[in-house]
Amino acid sequence: MNQQLIFNDDYHFDAIHQAVSCSVLQGGLRLQVLILMPAGWQQDAWLCQVKEDCFFWEEQIEEAVKTGAIGDDGMIHLHGAG
């Protein structure tokens, strides 16, 4: 954990996108993140898993920011592993 990102602890399940949604702060900027739920998962279980694995997702978010992988909607879209 290098604390380049700070999770805002606003995790929730976004039923429209079938993803966990949360926000992070990086250098004073607020970034919105969607972590898409893999097939075969239940919403509550995926939400709990993403919260538990936040340090894994921190690395994924940092990589997405470095490579400019921010969608047209201004969100970072990550794919969860099944």
Side-chain angles (χ1 to χ4, degrees):
M1 179 175 80
N2 56 18
Q3 286 301 83
Q4 290 185 24
L5 295 178
I6 299 171
F7 284 81
N8 290 320
D9 200 31
D10 58 354
Y11 301 92
H12 70 277
F13 191 82
D14 180 328
I16 293 170
H17 293 98
Q18 289 296 294
V20 170
S21 176
C22 65
S23 64
V24 297
L25 295 176
Q26 182 192 41
L29 297 176
R30 184 173 185 244
L31 304 172
Q32 193 65 35
V33 180
L34 286 174
I35 304 171
L36 304 175
M37 182 174 64
W41 281 79
Q42 297 294 320
Q43 294 177 3
D44 291 343
W46 184 239
L47 179 60
C48 288
Q49 189 66 48
V50 169
K51 287 179 183 180
E52 288 177 15
D53 293 340
C54 68
F55 297 120
F56 168 79
W57 293 111
E58 180 178 7
E59 292 175 6
Q60 304 302 309
I61 295 166
E62 288 173 353
E63 186 62 29
V65 170
K66 280 184 199 173
T67 61
I70 298 175
D72 294 338
D73 58 3
M75 295 185 194
I76 296 170
H77 295 254
L78 301 174
H79 295 276

Coordinates of all heavy atoms in Angstrom, one line a residue:
M1 N 0.8 -1.2 0.0 CA 0.0 0.0 0.0 C 0.9 1.2 0.0 O 1.7 1.4 0.9 CB -0.9 0.0 1.2 CG -1.8 1.2 1.3 SD -2.9 1.0 2.7 CE -1.8 1.5 4.1
N2 N 0.7 2.1 -1.0 CA 1.6 3.2 -1.1 C 0.8 4.6 -0.9 O 1.4 5.6 -1.0 CB 2.3 3.3 -2.5 CG 1.3 3.2 -3.6 OD1 0.1 3.5 -3.5 ND2 1.8 2.9 -4.8
Q3 N -0.5 4.5 -0.7 CA -1.3 5.6 -0.3 C -1.3 6.7 -1.4 O -1.5 7.9 -1.1 CB -1.0 6.2 1.0 CG -1.4 5.3 2.2 CD -2.9 5.1 2.2 OE1 -3.4 4.2 1.5 NE2 -3.7 5.9 2.9
Q4 N -1.1 6.4 -2.7 CA -1.3 7.3 -3.7 C -2.7 7.6 -4.0 O -3.1 8.6 -4.5 CB -0.6 6.9 -5.0 CG 0.9 6.9 -4.9 CD 1.6 6.6 -6.2 OE1 1.0 6.8 -7.2 NE2 2.8 6.1 -6.1
L5 N -3.6 6.6 -3.6 CA -5.0 6.7 -3.8 C -5.6 6.6 -2.4 O -5.2 5.8 -1.6 CB -5.6 5.6 -4.6 CG -5.2 5.6 -6.1 CD1 -5.8 4.4 -6.8 CD2 -5.6 6.9 -6.8
I6 N -6.7 7.3 -2.2 CA -7.5 7.2 -0.9 C -8.9 6.9 -1.3 O -9.5 7.6 -2.0 CB -7.4 8.6 -0.1 CG1 -6.0 8.9 0.2 CG2 -8.3 8.5 1.1 CD1 -5.8 10.3 0.8
F7 N -9.3 5.7 -0.8 CA -10.7 5.3 -1.1 C -11.6 6.1 -0.2 O -11.4 6.2 1.0 CB -10.9 3.8 -0.8 CG -10.3 2.9 -1.9 CD1 -8.9 2.7 -2.0 CD2 -11.1 2.4 -2.9 CE1 -8.4 1.9 -3.0 CE2 -10.6 1.7 -3.9 CZ -9.3 1.4 -4.0
N8 N -12.8 6.5 -0.7 CA -13.7 7.4 0.0 C -14.7 6.5 0.8 O -15.6 7.1 1.5 CB -14.4 8.3 -0.9 CG -13.5 9.4 -1.4 OD1 -12.7 9.9 -0.7 ND2 -13.6 9.7 -2.7
D9 N -14.6 5.2 0.8 CA -15.5 4.3 1.5 C -17.0 4.6 1.2 O -17.9 4.6 2.0 CB -15.3 4.5 3.0 CG -15.8 3.3 3.8 OD1 -15.8 2.2 3.2 OD2 -16.3 3.4 4.9
D10 N -17.2 4.8 -0.1 CA -18.6 5.1 -0.6 C -19.0 3.9 -1.6 O -19.7 4.2 -2.6 CB -18.7 6.4 -1.3 CG -17.8 6.6 -2.4 OD1 -16.9 5.8 -2.7 OD2 -17.9 7.7 -3.1
Y11 N -18.6 2.7 -1.3 CA -18.9 1.6 -2.1 C -20.4 1.3 -2.2 O -21.0 1.4 -1.1 CB -18.2 0.3 -1.5 CG -16.7 0.3 -1.4 CD1 -16.1 0.8 -0.2 CD2 -15.9 -0.1 -2.4 CE1 -14.8 0.7 -0.1 CE2 -14.5 -0.1 -2.3 CZ -14.0 0.3 -1.1 OH -12.6 0.3 -1.0
H12 N -20.9 1.0 -3.4 CA -22.2 0.6 -3.5 C -22.4 -0.2 -4.8 O -21.5 -0.1 -5.7 CB -23.3 1.7 -3.4 CG -23.2 2.6 -4.6 ND1 -22.3 3.7 -4.8 CD2 -24.0 2.6 -5.8 CE1 -22.5 4.3 -5.9 NE2 -23.5 3.6 -6.6
F13 N -23.4 -1.0 -4.9 CA -23.6 -1.8 -6.1 C -24.5 -1.0 -7.0 O -25.6 -0.5 -6.7 CB -24.3 -3.2 -5.8 CG -24.2 -4.1 -7.0 CD1 -23.1 -4.8 -7.3 CD2 -25.3 -4.1 -7.9 CE1 -23.0 -5.6 -8.4 CE2 -25.2 -4.9 -9.0 CZ -24.1 -5.7 -9.3
D14 N -24.0 -0.8 -8.2 CA -24.7 -0.1 -9.3 C -25.4 -1.1 -10.2 O -24.7 -1.8 -11.0 CB -23.7 0.7 -10.1 CG -24.3 1.5 -11.2 OD1 -25.3 1.1 -11.8 OD2 -23.7 2.6 -11.5
A15 N -26.7 -1.3 -10.0 CA -27.4 -2.3 -10.8 C -27.5 -2.0 -12.3 O -27.5 -3.0 -13.1 CB -28.9 -2.4 -10.2
I16 N -27.4 -0.8 -12.7 CA -27.5 -0.4 -14.1 C -26.2 -1.0 -14.8 O -26.3 -1.6 -15.9 CB -27.6 1.1 -14.3 CG1 -29.0 1.5 -13.8 CG2 -27.4 1.5 -15.8 CD1 -29.1 3.0 -13.7
H17 N -25.1 -0.8 -14.2 CA -23.8 -1.2 -14.8 C -23.4 -2.6 -14.3 O -22.4 -3.1 -14.8 CB -22.7 -0.2 -14.4 CG -22.8 1.1 -15.1 ND1 -23.4 2.2 -14.4 CD2 -22.6 1.5 -16.3 CE1 -23.4 3.2 -15.2 NE2 -22.9 2.8 -16.4
Q18 N -24.1 -3.2 -13.4 CA -23.8 -4.5 -12.8 C -22.3 -4.5 -12.3 O -21.5 -5.3 -12.7 CB -24.0 -5.6 -13.8 CG -25.5 -5.9 -14.0 CD -26.2 -6.4 -12.8 OE1 -25.9 -7.5 -12.3 NE2 -27.1 -5.6 -12.2
A19 N -22.1 -3.5 -11.5 CA -20.7 -3.2 -11.0 C -20.7 -2.6 -9.6 O -21.7 -2.0 -9.2 CB -20.0 -2.3 -11.9
V20 N -19.6 -2.7 -8.9 CA -19.4 -2.0 -7.7 C -18.9 -0.6 -8.1 O -18.0 -0.5 -8.9 CB -18.4 -2.7 -6.7 CG1 -18.0 -1.7 -5.6 CG2 -19.0 -4.0 -6.2
S21 N -19.5 0.4 -7.5 CA -19.1 1.8 -7.8 C -18.5 2.4 -6.5 O -18.9 2.1 -5.4 CB -20.3 2.6 -8.2 OG -20.0 4.0 -8.4
C22 N -17.4 3.1 -6.7 CA -16.8 3.8 -5.6 C -16.0 5.0 -6.1 O -15.8 5.1 -7.3 CB -15.9 2.9 -4.8 SG -14.4 2.2 -5.7
S23 N -15.5 5.8 -5.2 CA -14.7 6.9 -5.7 C -13.4 6.9 -4.9 O -13.3 6.4 -3.8 CB -15.4 8.3 -5.5 OG -15.7 8.5 -4.1
V24 N -12.4 7.5 -5.5 CA -11.1 7.6 -4.9 C -10.5 9.0 -5.1 O -10.9 9.7 -6.0 CB -10.0 6.5 -5.4 CG1 -10.5 5.1 -5.2 CG2 -9.8 6.8 -6.9
L25 N -9.6 9.4 -4.2 CA -8.9 10.6 -4.3 C -7.5 10.4 -4.8 O -6.8 9.5 -4.2 CB -8.9 11.4 -3.0 CG -10.3 11.9 -2.5 CD1 -10.1 12.6 -1.1 CD2 -11.0 12.8 -3.5
Q26 N -7.1 11.1 -5.8 CA -5.7 11.0 -6.2 C -5.2 12.4 -6.4 O -5.7 13.1 -7.3 CB -5.5 10.2 -7.5 CG -4.1 10.1 -7.9 CD -3.9 9.6 -9.3 OE1 -4.6 9.9 -10.2 NE2 -2.9 8.7 -9.4
G27 N -4.3 12.8 -5.6 CA -3.7 14.2 -5.8 C -4.8 15.3 -5.7 O -4.7 16.3 -6.4
G28 N -5.8 15.1 -4.9 CA -6.9 16.1 -4.7 C -8.0 15.9 -5.7 O -9.0 16.6 -5.6
L29 N -7.8 15.1 -6.7 CA -8.9 14.8 -7.7 C -9.7 13.6 -7.3 O -9.2 12.6 -6.9 CB -8.3 14.6 -9.1 CG -7.5 15.7 -9.7 CD1 -6.9 15.3 -11.0 CD2 -8.4 16.9 -9.9
R30 N -11.0 13.8 -7.5 CA -11.9 12.7 -7.2 C -12.2 11.9 -8.5 O -12.6 12.4 -9.5 CB -13.2 13.2 -6.7 CG -14.2 12.1 -6.2 CD -15.4 12.7 -5.5 NE -16.3 11.7 -5.0 CZ -17.5 11.5 -5.5 NH1 -18.0 12.3 -6.4 NH2 -18.2 10.5 -4.9
L31 N -11.9 10.6 -8.4 CA -12.1 9.7 -9.6 C -13.2 8.7 -9.3 O -13.2 8.2 -8.2 CB -10.8 8.9 -9.9 CG -9.6 9.8 -10.2 CD1 -8.4 8.8 -10.3 CD2 -9.7 10.6 -11.4
Q32 N -14.1 8.5 -10.2 CA -15.2 7.5 -10.0 C -14.8 6.2 -10.7 O -14.3 6.2 -11.8 CB -16.5 8.1 -10.6 CG -17.7 7.3 -10.2 CD -18.0 7.4 -8.8 OE1 -17.8 8.4 -8.1 NE2 -18.5 6.3 -8.2
V33 N -15.0 5.1 -10.0 CA -14.6 3.8 -10.5 C -15.7 2.8 -10.5 O -16.6 2.8 -9.6 CB -13.5 3.2 -9.5 CG1 -13.0 1.9 -10.0 CG2 -12.3 4.2 -9.4
L34 N -15.8 2.1 -11.6 CA -16.8 1.0 -11.7 C -16.0 -0.3 -11.8 O -15.1 -0.4 -12.7 CB -17.7 1.1 -12.9 CG -18.7 2.2 -12.9 CD1 -19.4 2.3 -14.2 CD2 -19.8 1.8 -11.8
I35 N -16.3 -1.3 -11.0 CA -15.6 -2.6 -11.0 C -16.7 -3.6 -11.4 O -17.5 -4.0 -10.6 CB -14.9 -2.9 -9.7 CG1 -13.9 -1.8 -9.3 CG2 -14.2 -4.3 -9.8 CD1 -13.3 -1.9 -7.9
L36 N -16.6 -4.0 -12.7 CA -17.7 -4.9 -13.2 C -17.7 -6.2 -12.6 O -16.7 -6.9 -12.4 CB -17.5 -5.0 -14.7 CG -17.5 -3.6 -15.5 CD1 -17.2 -3.9 -16.9 CD2 -18.8 -2.9 -15.3
M37 N -18.9 -6.7 -12.3 CA -19.1 -8.0 -11.6 C -19.0 -9.1 -12.6 O -19.6 -9.1 -13.7 CB -20.5 -8.0 -11.0 CG -20.8 -9.3 -10.2 SD -22.4 -9.3 -9.3 CE -23.6 -9.1 -10.7
P38 N -18.2 -10.1 -12.3 CA -18.1 -11.3 -13.2 C -19.3 -12.1 -13.1 O -20.1 -12.1 -12.2 CB -16.9 -12.1 -12.6 CG -16.3 -11.2 -11.6 CD -17.3 -10.2 -11.2
A39 N -19.5 -12.9 -14.2 CA -20.7 -13.8 -14.2 C -20.6 -14.8 -13.1 O -19.5 -15.2 -12.7 CB -20.7 -14.6 -15.6
G40 N -21.7 -15.2 -12.5 CA -21.8 -16.2 -11.5 C -21.7 -15.6 -10.1 O -21.8 -16.3 -9.1
W41 N -21.5 -14.3 -9.9 CA -21.5 -13.7 -8.6 C -22.8 -13.1 -8.2 O -23.6 -12.7 -9.1 CB -20.4 -12.6 -8.6 CG -19.0 -13.0 -8.5 CD1 -18.2 -13.5 -9.5 CD2 -18.2 -13.0 -7.3 NE1 -17.0 -13.8 -9.0 CE2 -16.9 -13.5 -7.7 CE3 -18.4 -12.6 -6.0 CZ2 -15.9 -13.7 -6.8 CZ3 -17.4 -12.8 -5.1 CH2 -16.1 -13.3 -5.5
Q42 N -23.1 -13.0 -6.9 CA -24.2 -12.3 -6.4 C -23.8 -10.9 -6.1 O -22.6 -10.7 -5.7 CB -24.8 -13.0 -5.2 CG -25.3 -14.4 -5.4 CD -26.5 -14.4 -6.3 OE1 -27.4 -13.6 -6.2 NE2 -26.5 -15.4 -7.2
Q43 N -24.7 -10.0 -6.1 CA -24.4 -8.6 -5.9 C -23.7 -8.3 -4.5 O -22.7 -7.7 -4.5 CB -25.7 -7.7 -6.0 CG -26.2 -7.7 -7.4 CD -27.5 -6.9 -7.5 OE1 -28.0 -6.3 -6.5 NE2 -28.1 -6.8 -8.7
D44 N -24.4 -8.8 -3.5 CA -23.8 -8.6 -2.1 C -22.4 -9.2 -2.0 O -21.6 -8.6 -1.3 CB -24.8 -9.2 -1.1 CG -26.1 -8.4 -1.0 OD1 -26.1 -7.3 -1.5 OD2 -27.0 -8.9 -0.4
A45 N -22.2 -10.4 -2.5 CA -20.9 -11.1 -2.4 C -19.9 -10.3 -3.2 O -18.7 -10.1 -2.7 CB -21.0 -12.5 -2.9
W46 N -20.2 -9.8 -4.3 CA -19.2 -9.0 -5.1 C -18.9 -7.7 -4.4 O -17.7 -7.3 -4.4 CB -19.8 -8.7 -6.5 CG -18.8 -8.0 -7.4 CD1 -18.9 -6.8 -8.0 CD2 -17.5 -8.5 -7.8 NE1 -17.8 -6.5 -8.7 CE2 -16.9 -7.5 -8.6 CE3 -16.7 -9.6 -7.4 CZ2 -15.6 -7.6 -9.1 CZ3 -15.4 -9.7 -8.0 CH2 -14.9 -8.7 -8.8
L47 N -19.9 -7.0 -3.8 CA -19.6 -5.8 -3.1 C -18.6 -6.1 -1.9 O -17.7 -5.4 -1.8 CB -20.9 -5.2 -2.6 CG -20.8 -4.0 -1.8 CD1 -20.2 -2.8 -2.5 CD2 -22.2 -3.6 -1.3
C48 N -18.9 -7.1 -1.2 CA -18.0 -7.5 -0.1 C -16.6 -7.8 -0.5 O -15.6 -7.4 0.1 CB -18.6 -8.7 0.7 SG -20.0 -8.2 1.7
Q49 N -16.5 -8.6 -1.6 CA -15.2 -9.0 -2.2 C -14.4 -7.8 -2.6 O -13.2 -7.7 -2.3 CB -15.4 -9.9 -3.3 CG -14.1 -10.6 -3.8 CD -13.5 -11.5 -2.7 OE1 -14.2 -12.3 -2.2 NE2 -12.2 -11.3 -2.5
V50 N -15.0 -6.8 -3.3 CA -14.3 -5.6 -3.7 C -13.8 -4.8 -2.5 O -12.6 -4.4 -2.5 CB -15.2 -4.8 -4.7 CG1 -14.6 -3.4 -4.9 CG2 -15.5 -5.5 -6.0
K51 N -14.6 -4.7 -1.5 CA -14.2 -4.0 -0.3 C -13.0 -4.6 0.3 O -12.0 -4.0 0.7 CB -15.3 -3.9 0.7 CG -16.4 -2.9 0.4 CD -17.4 -3.0 1.5 CE -18.6 -2.1 1.2 NZ -19.6 -2.2 2.3
E52 N -13.0 -6.0 0.4 CA -11.9 -6.7 1.0 C -10.6 -6.6 0.2 O -9.5 -6.7 0.8 CB -12.3 -8.2 1.2 CG -13.3 -8.4 2.2 CD -13.7 -9.9 2.3 OE1 -13.0 -10.8 1.8 OE2 -14.8 -10.1 3.0
D53 N -10.7 -6.5 -1.1 CA -9.6 -6.5 -2.0 C -9.2 -5.1 -2.4 O -8.6 -4.9 -3.5 CB -9.9 -7.3 -3.3 CG -10.0 -8.8 -3.0 OD1 -9.5 -9.2 -1.9 OD2 -10.6 -9.5 -3.8
C54 N -9.5 -4.1 -1.6 CA -9.3 -2.7 -2.1 C -7.8 -2.4 -2.5 O -7.6 -1.6 -3.4 CB -9.8 -1.7 -1.1 SG -8.9 -1.6 0.5
F55 N -6.9 -3.0 -1.8 CA -5.5 -2.8 -2.2 C -5.1 -3.3 -3.5 O -4.3 -2.8 -4.3 CB -4.5 -3.3 -1.1 CG -4.8 -2.5 0.2 CD1 -5.1 -3.2 1.4 CD2 -4.7 -1.2 0.3 CE1 -5.4 -2.6 2.6 CE2 -4.9 -0.5 1.5 CZ -5.2 -1.2 2.6
F56 N -5.7 -4.5 -3.9 CA -5.6 -5.0 -5.3 C -6.1 -4.0 -6.3 O -5.5 -3.7 -7.3 CB -6.3 -6.3 -5.4 CG -6.4 -6.8 -6.8 CD1 -5.3 -7.3 -7.5 CD2 -7.6 -6.6 -7.5 CE1 -5.4 -7.7 -8.8 CE2 -7.7 -7.0 -8.9 CZ -6.6 -7.6 -9.5
W57 N -7.3 -3.5 -6.0 CA -8.0 -2.5 -6.9 C -7.2 -1.2 -7.0 O -7.2 -0.6 -8.0 CB -9.4 -2.4 -6.5 CG -10.2 -3.6 -6.8 CD1 -10.7 -4.4 -5.8 CD2 -10.4 -4.3 -8.0 NE1 -11.3 -5.5 -6.4 CE2 -11.2 -5.4 -7.7 CE3 -10.1 -3.9 -9.3 CZ2 -11.6 -6.3 -8.7 CZ3 -10.5 -4.8 -10.3 CH2 -11.2 -6.0 -10.0
E58 N -6.6 -0.9 -5.9 CA -5.7 0.4 -5.9 C -4.7 0.3 -7.0 O -4.5 1.2 -7.7 CB -5.1 0.6 -4.5 CG -4.2 1.8 -4.4 CD -3.6 2.0 -3.1 OE1 -3.7 1.1 -2.2 OE2 -3.0 3.1 -2.9
E59 N -4.0 -0.8 -7.1 CA -3.0 -1.0 -8.2 C -3.6 -0.9 -9.5 O -3.1 -0.3 -10.5 CB -2.3 -2.3 -8.0 CG -1.4 -2.4 -6.7 CD -0.8 -3.7 -6.5 OE1 -0.9 -4.6 -7.4 OE2 -0.1 -3.9 -5.4
Q60 N -4.8 -1.5 -9.7 CA -5.5 -1.5 -11.0 C -5.9 -0.1 -11.4 O -5.8 0.3 -12.5 CB -6.7 -2.5 -11.0 CG -6.4 -3.9 -10.6 CD -5.4 -4.5 -11.5 OE1 -5.6 -4.5 -12.7 NE2 -4.4 -5.1 -10.9
I61 N -6.4 0.6 -10.4 CA -6.8 2.0 -10.7 C -5.6 2.9 -11.0 O -5.7 3.7 -12.0 CB -7.6 2.6 -9.4 CG1 -8.9 1.8 -9.2 CG2 -7.8 4.1 -9.6 CD1 -9.5 2.1 -7.9
E62 N -4.5 2.7 -10.3 CA -3.3 3.5 -10.6 C -2.8 3.2 -12.0 O -2.5 4.1 -12.8 CB -2.2 3.2 -9.6 CG -2.5 3.8 -8.2 CD -1.5 3.4 -7.2 OE1 -0.6 2.5 -7.5 OE2 -1.5 3.9 -6.1
E63 N -2.9 2.0 -12.4 CA -2.5 1.6 -13.8 C -3.4 2.2 -14.8 O -2.9 2.7 -15.9 CB -2.4 0.1 -13.9 CG -1.9 -0.4 -15.2 CD -0.4 0.0 -15.5 OE1 0.4 0.2 -14.5 OE2 -0.1 0.2 -16.7
A64 N -4.7 2.2 -14.6 CA -5.7 2.8 -15.5 C -5.4 4.3 -15.6 O -5.5 4.8 -16.8 CB -7.1 2.5 -15.0
V65 N -5.1 4.9 -14.6 CA -4.8 6.4 -14.6 C -3.6 6.6 -15.4 O -3.5 7.5 -16.3 CB -4.7 7.0 -13.2 CG1 -4.2 8.4 -13.3 CG2 -6.1 6.9 -12.5
K66 N -2.5 5.9 -15.2 CA -1.3 6.0 -15.9 C -1.4 5.8 -17.4 O -0.8 6.6 -18.2 CB -0.2 5.0 -15.5 CG 0.5 5.3 -14.2 CD 1.5 4.2 -13.9 CE 1.9 4.2 -12.5 NZ 2.8 3.1 -12.1
T67 N -2.3 4.9 -17.8 CA -2.5 4.6 -19.2 C -3.6 5.4 -19.9 O -3.9 5.2 -21.0 CB -2.7 3.1 -19.5 OG1 -3.9 2.7 -18.8 CG2 -1.6 2.2 -19.0
G68 N -4.2 6.2 -19.1 CA -5.3 7.1 -19.6 C -6.6 6.3 -19.9 O -7.3 6.7 -20.8
A69 N -6.8 5.2 -19.2 CA -8.0 4.4 -19.4 C -9.2 4.9 -18.7 O -9.9 4.1 -18.0 CB -7.6 2.9 -19.0
I70 N -9.5 6.1 -18.9 CA -10.7 6.7 -18.3 C -11.7 6.8 -19.4 O -11.4 7.4 -20.5 CB -10.4 8.1 -17.6 CG1 -9.4 7.9 -16.5 CG2 -11.7 8.7 -17.2 CD1 -9.0 9.1 -15.8
G71 N -12.9 6.3 -19.2 CA -14.0 6.3 -20.2 C -14.5 7.6 -20.6 O -14.2 8.6 -19.9
D72 N -15.3 7.7 -21.7 CA -15.9 8.9 -22.1 C -16.8 9.5 -21.0 O -17.1 10.7 -21.0 CB -16.7 8.7 -23.4 CG -15.8 8.3 -24.6 OD1 -14.6 8.7 -24.5 OD2 -16.3 7.7 -25.6
D73 N -17.3 8.6 -20.2 CA -18.2 9.0 -19.1 C -17.4 9.5 -17.9 O -18.0 9.9 -16.9 CB -19.1 7.9 -18.7 CG -18.4 6.6 -18.2 OD1 -17.1 6.7 -18.2 OD2 -19.0 5.6 -17.9
G74 N -16.1 9.6 -18.0 CA -15.3 10.1 -16.9 C -15.0 9.1 -15.8 O -14.4 9.5 -14.8
M75 N -15.4 7.9 -16.0 CA -15.2 6.8 -15.0 C -14.1 5.8 -15.5 O -13.9 5.7 -16.7 CB -16.5 6.0 -14.8 CG -17.6 6.8 -14.2 SD -19.0 5.7 -13.9 CE -20.3 6.9 -13.6
I76 N -13.5 5.2 -14.5 CA -12.6 4.2 -14.7 C -13.4 2.9 -14.7 O -14.0 2.6 -13.6 CB -11.4 4.1 -13.7 CG1 -10.6 5.4 -13.8 CG2 -10.6 2.9 -13.9 CD1 -9.6 5.6 -12.7
H77 N -13.3 2.1 -15.7 CA -14.1 0.8 -15.8 C -13.0 -0.3 -15.6 O -12.2 -0.5 -16.5 CB -14.8 0.6 -17.1 CG -15.9 1.7 -17.3 ND1 -17.2 1.3 -17.2 CD2 -15.9 3.0 -17.6 CE1 -17.9 2.4 -17.4 NE2 -17.1 3.4 -17.6
L78 N -13.2 -1.1 -14.6 CA -12.3 -2.3 -14.4 C -13.2 -3.6 -14.4 O -14.3 -3.5 -14.1 CB -11.6 -2.2 -13.0 CG -10.8 -0.9 -12.8 CD1 -10.3 -0.9 -11.4 CD2 -9.6 -0.9 -13.8
H79 N -12.6 -4.6 -14.9 CA -13.3 -5.9 -15.0 C -12.8 -6.8 -13.8 O -11.6 -7.0 -13.6 CB -13.0 -6.6 -16.3 CG -13.5 -5.8 -17.5 ND1 -14.8 -5.9 -17.9 CD2 -13.0 -4.9 -18.3 CE1 -15.0 -5.1 -18.9 NE2 -13.9 -4.5 -19.1
G80 N -13.8 -7.3 -13.1 CA -13.5 -8.2 -12.0 C -13.2 -9.6 -12.6 O -13.7 -10.0 -13.6
A81 N -12.3 -10.3 -11.9 CA -12.0 -11.7 -12.3 C -13.0 -12.7 -11.6 O -13.3 -12.5 -10.5 CB -10.6 -12.1 -11.9
G82 N -13.4 -13.7 -12.4 CA -14.3 -14.6 -11.9 C -13.6 -15.7 -11.1 O -13.8 -16.4 -10.3

